Amino acid sequence: MLHLRLIVPADRTEEVVRTVEKTVGTTHLVVLPGAARDPMGDVVMCDVAREAGDSLLGDLRELGLDETGSIAVENIDLSLSRRADEAEEEAPGEGADAVLWEQLTDATHEESTLSVTYLAFLTLATMIAACGVVLDNAILIVGAMAVGPEFGPLAGLCTALVRRAPRLAARSAIALLVGFAAAMALTTGFGMLMDAVGLFSADMLEGARPNTDFIWKPDMFSFVVAVLAGIAGTLSLTSAKSGALVGVAISVTTVPAAANAAVALGYGEIHQMWGSTEQLLLNLVGIVLAGTLTLVLQKVLWERQRRRALPRG
């Protein structure tokens, strides 16, 4: 269930209440006249089944409530109510399959921002991966994958393509391009510093690395894994299963490939650098392609399911 808190201009309250009441899957409607101060208006609260949430949010935005008032949405972790159970049964489809497009757009917009924190996490992840590739340490590689924040802008790019949101697409693309460029440049410097103090060496990079040499030797399995990870990551976002993102993060070699390319560049290992860059691009393309197609399929299937549930006649 979702909880909606609306601030509504007094002259639009009846219209908003009627919109809520006609939406199948809503319950626990509360109206507090004159309770809002900034902006001025009435407060309307209700609970809605997740599978009916996107439709209700769309109707409220068509009323201009996001411009004249406020729409706030929260997930309800526990609701002990017979009426809430009935509302979920009345709503068409399954909540786990529903996509809240407004929530997804807002979440990916935030995760796609080129911020200091985003750059810090991506740079630290790349540096950790650099240690992993030079030492041929798979544990460090997995740790770096988990730290990397790059799935946020990748998901933002997928969402932007489906929703035709050029601003979100530009924001996501900038976060990816500038983020990886900055992280790789700083990691190249980090690699040279580690070489200067005797912790890295060209021999370590050029030697046998059975645990990590796949990072700069891309093949079709790299693309297949990226596609599967893109599907899993997108499903985890749309179904609010955020825990699954950890598994997605450690299944693709975006950050390790960037790290290997950065260290190889510092040592003039052009062959490894190009191989790692190809691995990085292959993973990025695979994730975006799979994520976009997953969202398109979800949109089509959910719309068909919603139409079948509508009363005929």
Side-chain angles (χ1 to χ4, degrees):
M1 295 289 289
L2 302 172
H3 177 69
L4 271 63
R5 187 196 69 229
L6 313 174
I7 297 179
V8 187
D11 60 342
R12 306 295 300 277
T13 300
E14 288 300 322
E15 188 177 12
V16 168
V17 169
R18 285 196 301 270
T19 299
V20 172
E21 289 178 331
K22 75 176 184 180
T23 301
V24 177
T26 58
T27 186
H28 303 157
L29 177 62
V30 177
V31 180
L32 303 175
R37 292 293 180 267
D38 184 19
M40 294 290 293
D42 302 334
V43 174
V44 177
M45 296 182 288
C46 70
D47 295 342
V48 58
R50 181 180 174 86
E51 51 269 42
D54 191 63
S55 175
L56 178 57
L57 290 175
D59 291 341
L60 293 174
R61 292 199 67 178
E62 286 185 4
L63 294 176
L65 192 57
D66 55 325
E67 299 289 342
T68 59
S70 170
I71 304 173
V73 184
E74 297 176 320
N75 286 307
I76 299 177
D77 296 326
L78 177 63
S79 179
L80 302 178
S81 166
R82 178 182 298 177
R83 181 65 192 102
D85 293 340
E86 292 174 350
E88 288 188 317
E89 292 177 0
E90 293 169 358
E94 294 293 332
D97 297 332
V99 180
L100 295 176
W101 291 101
E102 297 295 342
Q103 185 182 56
L104 179 63
T105 302
D106 184 68
T108 52
H109 183 278
E110 182 178 351
E111 293 295 326
S112 301
T113 302
L114 184 63
S115 63
V116 174
T117 301
Y118 169 81
L119 288 174
F121 271 114
L122 188 56
T123 300
L124 290 171
T126 308
M127 289 180 177
I128 293 171
C131 295
V133 297
V134 172
L135 299 175
D136 194 37
N137 189 315
I139 295 177
L140 291 177
I141 295 297
V142 171
M145 289 176 173
V147 173
E150 74 278 8
F151 193 81
L154 286 170
L157 190 55
C158 297
T159 304
L161 291 174
V162 175
R163 301 213 72 186
R164 299 178 182 179
R167 290 186 178 180
L168 179 57
R171 177 186 292 264
S172 301
I174 290 172
L176 284 172
L177 295 175
V178 176
F180 271 110
M184 292 170 71
L186 291 171
T187 301
T188 299
F190 171 74
M192 294 298 93
L193 176 62
M194 295 291 280
D195 178 83
V197 298
L199 295 178
F200 283 7
S201 70
D203 291 339
M204 297 171 70
L205 186 69
E206 297 169 2
R209 290 185 290 151
N211 293 321
T212 59
D213 63 356
F214 69 92
I215 291 171
W216 59 278
K217 297 178 180 178
D219 54 24
M220 280 307 299
F221 279 109
S222 302
F223 185 75
V224 170
V225 171
V227 168
L228 296 176
I231 296 172
T234 302
L235 289 175
S236 71
L237 287 176
T238 58
S239 63
K241 302 293 184 181
S242 58
L245 280 177
V246 177
V248 173
I250 63 176
S251 64
V252 291
T253 51
T254 49
V255 166
N260 199 83
V263 175
L265 176 63
Y267 283 117
E269 283 288 331
I270 304 302
H271 179 58
Q272 282 202 38
M273 185 197 72
W274 283 118
S276 301
T277 302
E278 184 181 349
Q279 177 79 270
L280 173 61
L281 295 176
L282 200 62
N283 277 271
L284 293 177
V285 171
I287 292 173
V288 171
L289 178 62
T292 302
L293 292 178
T294 299
L295 287 176
V296 170
L297 184 60
Q298 284 183 290
K299 188 175 183 178
V300 171
L301 292 178
W302 181 255
E303 183 63 23
R304 287 182 178 178
Q305 187 174 13
R306 188 185 67 82
R307 287 179 179 177
R308 285 200 298 267
L310 291 177
R312 300 180 178 179

